[in-house]
Amino acid sequence: MDGTLVDTEVLWWETAREVAAGLGHRLTDADAPEVVGRAVADTAAHLIEVTSGDPSTLPGAAAVRAPAPERTAADRAAALERTAAELTDSFFRKVDAGAPLRPGAAALLTSLEAAGVPFALVSASPRSVVDAVVAGALAGVDFAFTLSADDTVRTKPHPDPYRAAAERFAADPAACVAVEDSPDGTASADAAGCAVLVVPSLLPVAPGRGRTFARSLEEVDLGVLTDCLRRPNPEIQGPKPA
């Protein structure tokens, strides 16, 4: 969803940048692999790691800072919980204020509906954010179902989300095409056994067997998606990542 159908990756980066600044850390490109396409808990853990995790600096926090060597596991857990909550709340506010669709997303979704092809939304975002986007930018889209980070024990880059989606469809993962924009999302779909169409957004995605690339969803139609399934061991075809 984020960065694939809806242009929310920029909003997520802004959210992480603001929360990191509140913790005394300036977010840079070096942090991108731990932020872009990652679940809230993963990004929160990264920010705690690079800042020694002082939740007292976050808006509304009342925690008392303890020197890093004196922090207990409970202190770290509290910092992680507070940071994750601030990331979720801030991101939700930004998404709720409006998130534009990615170029070509509306046309592709409409064509799939017209052709009677079932499709679902599989996201590493929390349920609250997924529901906000589905009620907002994606209102009226006929998803068979939606899966959020809250719906599986592990989220992307683990295979659980796409395996769960295939199970909901009563389909073999190999009969499904995952459309992804990030390295973690692509790794998740790969590990689940899905064919993957990669439309990169903020981070480049490495070429690999079973991955087809497009520069934009404007280049994607039902024929392109079908071609992803027609190659049992597909090599990279189509446009290379920009």
Side-chain angles (χ1 to χ4, degrees):
M1 177 185 77
D2 302 309
T4 304
L5 293 177
V6 184
D7 198 6
T8 50
E9 283 292 11
V10 172
L11 300 183
W12 176 237
W13 181 263
E14 291 176 359
T15 298
R17 178 176 55 78
E18 292 166 0
V19 173
L23 292 168
H25 176 67
R26 187 175 72 86
L27 212 64
T28 69
D29 289 347
D31 298 289
E34 303 300 327
V35 176
V36 178
R38 300 304 295 263
V40 171
D42 295 331
T43 298
H46 171 68
L47 294 181
I48 294 299
E49 182 67 27
V50 298
T51 64
S52 298
D54 177 14
S56 66
T57 60
L58 295 174
V64 176
R65 182 170 187 170
E70 299 177 14
R71 291 198 186 106
T72 65
D75 292 330
R76 179 179 171 81
L80 180 60
E81 182 178 358
R82 177 62 196 171
T83 303
E86 180 60 23
L87 284 166
T88 299
D89 292 347
S90 179
F91 185 47
F92 176 82
R93 290 193 296 271
K94 287 179 170 59
V95 169
D96 198 43
L101 291 177
R102 297 285 292 172
L108 177 59
L109 293 171
T110 298
S111 68
L112 292 176
E113 288 184 26
V117 177
F119 56 91
L121 189 153
V122 180
S123 176
S125 287
R127 169 54 61 186
S128 60
V129 172
V130 170
D131 288 348
V133 173
V134 170
L138 294 172
V141 176
D142 190 22
F143 292 109
F145 54 86
T146 64
L147 285 175
S148 73
D150 302 326
D151 298 322
T152 53
V153 174
R154 302 179 301 176
T155 188
K156 303 173 186 180
H158 300 287
D160 306 35
Y162 281 109
R163 285 178 178 168
E167 185 176 349
R168 289 278 296 271
F169 277 128
D172 188 324
C176 302
V177 180
V179 182
E180 275 289 350
D181 72 295
S182 70
D184 271 14
T186 301
S188 174
D190 270 345
C194 301
V196 189
L197 175 65
V198 183
V199 186
S201 57
L202 294 184
L203 283 182
V205 177
R209 185 174 292 274
R211 300 177 182 180
T212 301
F213 286 82
R215 289 181 293 263
S216 165
L217 289 178
E218 293 174 304
E219 299 177 347
V220 180
D221 56 20
L222 184 55
V224 171
L225 296 175
T226 302
D227 284 345
C228 293
L229 294 173
R230 285 176 175 164
R231 299 190 298 276
N233 293 298
E235 300 285 354
I236 298 300
Q237 295 193 12
K240 301 294 186 196

